[in-house]
């Protein structure tokens, strides 16, 4: 059956008595294995729980199915932790037999059949109590534009652990993208591309062949103490193919993209030259030469409407799948208005590799089709770099430097001699023979101005944090001496994060590491990019790096009890507006909640509009699994009144999880999201520590006074002092013991035995199987299979940034300041 995975567990043969296993033997006579799967879900990690017994699949029935039971299923499937449980036909009504009944797990068992099970089937009866789960998944991408790009994090117990760069390759990235429903992997950028790690590090590397259904299914190898260069980054694309059709060659024609196995033409409404440059270079056709009018090469054989996807490429991307894409608010495409392009047709005979984009990295030149030669470092590198950056359309060189040889072997071009005014690198003179065997001289690397990037790091979301600039081939922080709100406003607009609310210094998000980027602090607020601002005249940086920005974001829930509940509002042209509830799909709620870091689900209802706030959108039709609101189709953007159906109101599960550190390219991005600006969790606040210390000292002082007073009373009464002292110390020891509140080992429902009892006459066991409730004693469990062992992460302590002085009040004595998990959001569904 499609949409599920299976996990096998071996078991031996044994005798069954009244359908229950004999002690120490398998409950399934003659069976070679037990298998588990999740059926009828959207993917491998959600669906109806089914177990294979006696060669046939059957459901698991339980009238008190809880989070501990679901946790075992999810962990056994390699799908991380459970997020929700169900005892209703969410995934359709099952047919056939019931394999297991009345399951009671602690939550830490290695397999479902290691739990206490009162009924071993198969049974034939009502499916009213069939169980289902939704798992969190083993892997995720955090800190990017939506769910399909970011730092790779994997589930380690109940926490997310960051995977290091170099511990995954493109094959592993393909598995991750497919697991997340994000199409194909288009890039594995350099370490730290989406910001620094925010939690523990995963102590292991993944070795995949590329065909595995889940990353958890890939082989693993130890890292042998290898240092972590930074978080691994992956960029997925829902587009699995690009081509140019009906143009007479592979380098001219109608733009067509493949998504979910279907080819379709792209609408020309938002198609521009920067998008065309990226596509042409990806196809090996050099830069774009011209953009014919829409429909110039026809519409092809496609019967459906043209794709309205609006790409927002900066021009420095290596693959068009790396470009931000927006669909929200895009108007319907006029019939026949398909995007077209004429590429130059000649593949560029040079490239820059191993950098953040196609505009920085090691310089290589083509010697023949498909063959590349490395360039040795030499005295004329600055002039050659000027020609290379200009030919690639990447601006001017910011930095030219030598790097160690990437691999052994001869260097065919030992030196390039350029005047610097050449249009093509091929016009420069190449001199010098190949290097001697076994000798690999340093190679030339170039960082062009087109490689500049911007991000906010160390904050609660991608639209708040410490400003960091990628320049001259490395990330650096910004000096805070002259930093002000207009500078932060430029950053927010450039990142597609709305307007600046604050421009804090290093006390908010920390000073950061790396070199200082000097060119900031003199913006008027209207510049298109931070590097377009005039650099202020200064000598040194007195206060150091760490300039920050807190942006409004483009998406929010307003007017509710928290940032995870309220009217859905979007920012457009500097104005916040509602989203009308008319024809807005219920799945939109889950997409918005995930994008805001407010859990994996939510509820959308229509409420009457209040006040004079207009609406920007209506008919938002998100589908299940959409990576962000910006990828959902809707009616076009315009200010409107929602009418009698009212506005969209969303209440999320409020499971706020941090996803920080997204990256914007040098061009402005129009498809960005924002997480709610919640306080950054960290170590125990200083006021709490002082309260604990002072309280302890006060208690000891009072105890000492009590002991002396007691002794004095005993002496006046003529009694022995030792007995009194002993009694007081026993009372003191008891009074100083902290009061512990027992918390379940697994978050979820705190009630036991909730729900209706299974009716005794609802089961009709095969052959002589008895009703599970009539069992005189609990059965023995099947043999335990080998532990899969997912807990391979090693916790790496990270000093969190100190909170802003005015953001978080001092904690009162007795309040530890930790954010408690909202148990109510993890409970079982009714």
């Amino acid at each position: 059956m499609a949409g599920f995975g299976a996990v096998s567990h071996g078991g031996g043969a044994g005798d069954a008595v009244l359908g229950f296993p004999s002690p120490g033997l398998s409950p399934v006579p003659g069976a070679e294995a037990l298998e588990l799967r999740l059926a009828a879900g959207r993917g491998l990690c959600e669906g109806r729980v089914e177990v294979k017994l006696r060669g046939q699949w059957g459901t698991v029935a339980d009238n008190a199915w809880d989070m501990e039971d679901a946790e075992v299923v999810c962990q056994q499937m390699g799908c991380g932790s459970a997020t929700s449980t169900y005892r209703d036909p969410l995934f359709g009504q099952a047919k056939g037999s019931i394999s297991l009944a009345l399951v009671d797990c602690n939550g830490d068992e290695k397999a479902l059949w290691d739990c206490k099970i009162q009924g071993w089937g198969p049974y034939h009866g009502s499916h009213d109590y069939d169980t289902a789960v939704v798992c969190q998944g083993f892997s995720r991408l955090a800190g990017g534009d939506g769910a399909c790009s970011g730092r790779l994090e994997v589930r380690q117990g109940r926490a997310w652990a960051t995977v290091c760069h170099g511990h995954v390759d493109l094959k592993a990235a393909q598995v991750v993208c497919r697991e997340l429903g994000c199409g194909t992997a288009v890039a594995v950028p350099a370490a730290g591309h989406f910001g620094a790690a925010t939690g523990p590090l995963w102590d292991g590397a993944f070795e995949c062949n590329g065909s595995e259904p889940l990353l958890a299914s890939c082989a693993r190898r130890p890292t042998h103490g290898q240092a972590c260069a930074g978080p691994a980054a992956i960029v997925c694309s829902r587009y699995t193919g690009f081509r140019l059709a009906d143009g007479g060659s592979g380098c001219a024609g109608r733009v067509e993209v493949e998504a979910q196995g279907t080819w379709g033409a792209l609408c020309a409404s938002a198609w521009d030259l920067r998008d065309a440059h990226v596509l042409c270079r990806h196809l090996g056709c050099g830069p774009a030469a011209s953009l014919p009018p829409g429909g110039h090469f026809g519409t092809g054989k496609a019967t459906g409407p043209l794709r309205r996807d609006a790409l927002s490429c900066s021009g420095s991307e290596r693959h068009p799948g790396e470009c931000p894409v927006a669909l929200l608010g895009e108007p319907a495409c006029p019939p026949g208005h398909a995007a077209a392009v004429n590429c130059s047709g000649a593949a560029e005979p040079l490239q820059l590799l191993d950098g953040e984009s196609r505009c920085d990295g090691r310089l290589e030149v083509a010697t023949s089709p498909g063959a590349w030669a490395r360039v040795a470092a030499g005295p004329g590198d600055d002039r050659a770099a000027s020609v290379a950056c200009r030919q690639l359309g990447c601006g001017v060189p910011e930095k030219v430097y030598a790097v160690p040889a990437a691999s052994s072997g001869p260097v065919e071009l030992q030196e390039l001699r350029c005047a610097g005014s050449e249009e093509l690198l091929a016009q420069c003179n190449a001199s010098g023979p190949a290097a001697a065997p076994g000798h690999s001289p340093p190679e030339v690397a170039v960082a062009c101005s087109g490689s500049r990037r911007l991000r906010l790091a160390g904050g609660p979301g991608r639209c708040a944090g410490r400003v960091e600039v990628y320049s001259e081939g490395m990330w650096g922080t910004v000096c805070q001496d002259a930093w002000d709100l207009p500078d932060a406003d430029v950053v927010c607009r450039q990142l597609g994060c709305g307007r600046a609310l604050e421009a804090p210094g290093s006390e908010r998000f920390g000073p950061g590491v790396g070199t200082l980027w000097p060119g900031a602090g003199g913006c008027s607020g209207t510049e298109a990019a931070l590097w377009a601002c005039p650099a202020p005249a200064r000598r040194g940086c007195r206060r150091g790096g760490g300039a920050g920005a807190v942006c409004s974001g483009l998406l929010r829930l307003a007017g509710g009890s928290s940032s995870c509940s309220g009217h859905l509002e979007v920012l457009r042209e500097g104005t916040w507006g509602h989203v009308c509830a008319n024809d807005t799909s219920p799945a939109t709620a889950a997409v918005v909640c995930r994008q805001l870091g407010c859990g994996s689900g939510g509820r959308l209802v229509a409420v009457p509009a209040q006040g004079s706030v207009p609406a920007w959108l209506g008919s938002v039709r998100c589908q299940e699994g959409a990576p962000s609101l910006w990828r959902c189709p809707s009616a076009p953007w315009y200010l409107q009144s929602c009418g009698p159906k009212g506005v969209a109101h969303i209440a999320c599960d409020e499971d706020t999880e941090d996803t920080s550190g997204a990256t914007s390219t040098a061009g402005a991005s129009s498809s960005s999201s924002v997480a709610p600006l919640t306080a950054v969790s960290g170590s125990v606040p200083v006021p709490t520590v002082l309260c604990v210390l002072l309280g302890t000292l006060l208690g000891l002082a009072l105890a000492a006074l009590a002991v002396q007073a007691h002794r004095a009373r005993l002496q006046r009464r003529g009694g022995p002092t030792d007995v009194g002292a002993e009694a007081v110390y026993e009372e003191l020891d008891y009074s100083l013991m902290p009061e512990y509140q027992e918390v379940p080992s697994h978050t979820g429902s705190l009630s036991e035995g909730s729900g209706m009892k299974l009716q005794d006459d609802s089961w009709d066991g095969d052959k002589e199987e008895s009703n599970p409730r009539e069992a005189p004693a609990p059965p023995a469990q099947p043999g335990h299979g080998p532990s899969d062992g997912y807990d391979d992460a090693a916790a790496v302590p990270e000093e969190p940034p100190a909170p802003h002085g005015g953001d978080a009040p001092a904690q009162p004595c007795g309040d530890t300041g930790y954010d408690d998990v909202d148990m109510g959001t993890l409970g079982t569904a009714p």
Side-chain angles (χ1 to χ4, degrees):
M1 184 181 298
F4 60 80
V7 178
S8 298
H9 174 83
D15 296 329
V17 180
L18 297 177
F20 295 99
S22 301
L25 299 178
S26 168
V28 192
E32 296 181 356
L34 294 173
E35 296 181 39
L36 174 69
R37 73 183 183 187
L38 298 178
R42 293 170 301 168
L44 297 164
C45 293
E46 67 173 45
R48 187 172 55 248
V49 182
E50 295 186 353
V51 172
K52 191 175 185 180
L53 281 178
R54 296 179 178 176
Q56 67 181 31
W57 288 99
T59 61
V60 175
D62 195 334
N63 67 335
W65 184 256
D66 58 22
M67 289 295 289
E68 281 71 26
D69 307 323
E71 181 73 14
V72 174
V73 171
C74 291
Q75 294 290 351
Q76 184 178 355
M77 292 294 299
C79 291
S81 292
T83 60
S84 54
T85 66
Y86 298 93
R87 294 192 303 274
D88 53 42
L90 176 69
F91 300 102
Q93 187 69 39
K95 298 180 181 180
S97 63
I98 297 169
S99 294
L100 303 179
L102 306 177
V103 179
D104 185 16
C105 303
N106 294 323
D108 55 0
E109 293 86 352
K110 297 299 182 183
L112 183 64
W113 35 85
D114 293 341
C115 302
K116 298 176 183 177
I117 300 174
Q118 296 191 39
W120 289 88
Y123 300 101
H124 289 294
S126 171
H127 285 277
D128 292 343
Y129 298 99
D130 286 347
T131 59
V133 301
V134 174
C135 307
Q136 200 163 34
F138 177 69
S139 63
R140 74 174 183 181
L141 298 176
D145 250 347
C148 293
S149 63
R151 299 184 305 274
L152 176 59
E153 297 179 351
V154 296
R155 200 69 179 175
Q156 186 237 333
R158 295 290 179 110
W160 289 103
T162 301
V163 179
C164 293
H165 179 75
H167 295 173
V168 291
D169 56 13
L170 192 57
K171 290 182 178 179
Q174 294 288 6
V175 174
V176 171
C177 294
R178 186 168 56 249
E179 176 182 346
L180 297 177
C182 291
T184 186
V186 297
V188 180
H193 183 85
F194 292 104
T198 58
L201 300 179
W202 178 263
D203 187 19
F206 293 95
E207 292 184 346
C208 308
N209 59 33
S211 63
E212 293 86 353
L214 297 168
L215 184 64
S217 304
C218 295
R220 303 173 195 177
R221 60 176 174 82
T223 58
H224 303 294
Q226 179 183 356
C228 185
I234 296 176
V235 177
C236 308
S237 173
R238 292 182 180 268
Y239 305 130
T240 52
F242 292 85
R243 69 186 182 191
L244 298 177
D246 296 340
S249 71
C251 292
R254 180 180 59 256
V255 180
E256 293 186 351
V257 299
E258 182 188 32
Q260 298 179 339
T262 302
W263 286 93
L266 195 67
C267 183
S269 297
W271 181 250
D272 63 18
L273 192 59
R274 289 184 297 184
D275 305 330
H277 280 320
V278 175
L279 176 60
C280 288
R281 289 185 172 112
H282 167 66
L283 295 175
C285 296
S290 64
L291 293 183
H296 181 78
F297 293 105
T299 58
K301 299 180 181 179
T303 58
L306 299 176
R307 298 187 65 99
R308 293 183 288 166
D309 305 36
L311 277 67
S312 299
C313 302
S314 69
S316 64
E317 294 87 356
R318 301 183 189 275
H319 190 288
E322 298 181 55
C323 302
V325 179
L327 182 56
L328 189 73
E330 290 297 321
C333 191
H337 194 54
V341 64
N342 286 313
C343 303
S344 64
E348 290 170 325
L350 73 159
Q351 62 183 1
L352 297 174
L353 295 179
D354 301 333
E356 285 282 315
S357 69
R358 58 176 295 272
C359 291
D360 71 300
R362 291 184 299 104
L363 176 62
E364 291 189 352
V365 296
T367 56
S368 61
W372 295 90
R374 295 170 287 138
V375 178
D381 290 344
D382 289 347
R383 294 186 293 273
S386 296
V387 178
C389 291
R390 185 165 56 248
Q391 184 175 350
L392 289 171
C394 291
V396 297
E398 285 190 327
K399 184 179 181 181
V400 183
Y401 55 102
V403 295
S407 61
S408 59
V411 179
E412 296 190 25
L413 296 179
Q414 191 170 15
E415 184 179 343
L416 285 175
R417 295 181 179 177
C418 304
S421 58
E422 295 87 349
E423 291 296 326
L424 303 174
L425 202 62
Q427 297 172 348
C428 300
N429 294 323
S431 64
H439 177 62
S440 297
E443 302 171 18
V444 62
V446 182
C448 306
S449 59
S451 66
R452 291 173 180 165
R453 291 174 179 264
L454 179 69
R455 70 185 181 193
L456 294 176
R462 66 170 301 274
C463 291
R466 181 178 57 254
V467 181
E468 294 185 353
V469 177
Y470 183 82
S471 178
E472 299 184 359
M474 64 184 67
W475 287 99
T477 59
V478 173
C479 181
Q480 55 183 322
D481 283 359
W483 188 255
D484 207 346
L485 197 62
D487 307 291
D489 211 31
V490 173
V491 169
C492 294
R493 186 171 58 253
Q494 185 177 350
L495 288 172
C497 288
R499 299 169 300 191
L501 303 177
E502 299 178 55
S506 60
E507 72 280 358
R508 184 71 168 272
F509 301 113
V513 295
T515 58
L516 281 173
W517 190 69
C523 301
S524 65
T526 61
E527 293 84 355
L530 186 63
W531 32 86
C533 299
R538 71 163 65 94
R539 296 180 180 178
C541 182
R542 181 175 54 85
R543 298 175 57 197
V550 177
C551 310
S552 65
L554 300 179
L555 169 66
R556 72 182 182 185
L557 297 177
S561 58
S562 71
S563 59
C564 292
S565 175
H567 305 307
L568 175 59
E569 295 184 357
V570 291
L571 184 66
R572 175 83 171 176
E573 298 177 359
T575 301
W576 287 101
H578 290 310
V579 173
C580 295
N582 60 304
D583 296 327
T584 295
S585 65
T588 302
V591 174
V592 170
C593 292
R594 284 196 304 268
Q595 190 170 350
L596 291 177
C598 293
S600 59
R603 298 166 301 283
L604 186 147
V605 296
V607 299
Q610 297 179 354
S612 59
V613 178
W616 271 118
L617 287 171
S619 302
V620 179
R621 306 295 296 172
C622 290
Q623 296 181 351
E624 294 288 344
S628 74
L629 183 67
W630 318 117
R631 300 295 296 270
C632 300
S634 72
W637 294 99
Y638 72 95
L639 288 174
Q640 56 192 287
S641 174
C642 291
K645 290 191 176 181
V647 300
H649 183 282
I650 293 177
C652 300
D653 294 340
E654 300 196 26
D655 177 20
T656 54
E657 293 206 50
D658 177 26
T659 55
S660 61
T663 302
S664 168
T665 57
S669 167
S670 63
S671 57
S672 305
S673 61
V674 58
L677 302 178
T678 55
V680 180
S681 61
S683 58
V684 181
V686 173
T688 301
V689 177
L690 292 177
C691 289
V692 173
L693 292 177
L694 292 175
T696 303
L697 292 175
L698 180 60
L700 292 174
L702 292 174
L705 291 175
V707 171
Q708 292 183 1
H710 190 74
R711 285 177 174 174
R713 287 197 301 270
L714 290 176
Q715 287 176 356
R716 286 194 299 269
R717 296 175 182 177
T721 59
D722 293 341
V723 176
E726 182 178 356
V728 172
Y729 279 117
E730 288 177 355
E731 182 180 356
L732 175 63
D733 291 340
Y734 179 81
S735 65
L736 291 179
M737 288 291 291
E739 295 183 3
Y740 291 102
Q741 180 178 0
E742 185 175 355
V743 178
S745 59
H746 296 272
T747 58
S749 174
L750 299 181
S751 62
E752 295 183 2
S754 60
M756 296 177 59
K757 295 294 183 182
L758 290 171
Q759 298 298 321
D760 291 343
D761 57 358
S762 64
W763 308 96
D764 179 18
D766 282 355
K767 299 179 181 179
E768 297 181 355
E769 279 93 345
S770 66
N771 188 295
R773 286 294 186 191
E774 297 175 359
Q781 308 304 319
H784 291 243
S787 171
D788 200 285
Y790 292 127
D791 296 336
D792 298 331
V796 177
E798 179 175 305
E799 185 68 23
H804 190 274
D807 291 337
Q811 301 291 340
C813 294
D815 185 354
T816 62
Y818 290 116
D819 293 331
D820 294 332
V821 177
D822 186 355
M823 307 293 274
T825 64
L826 300 177
T828 58

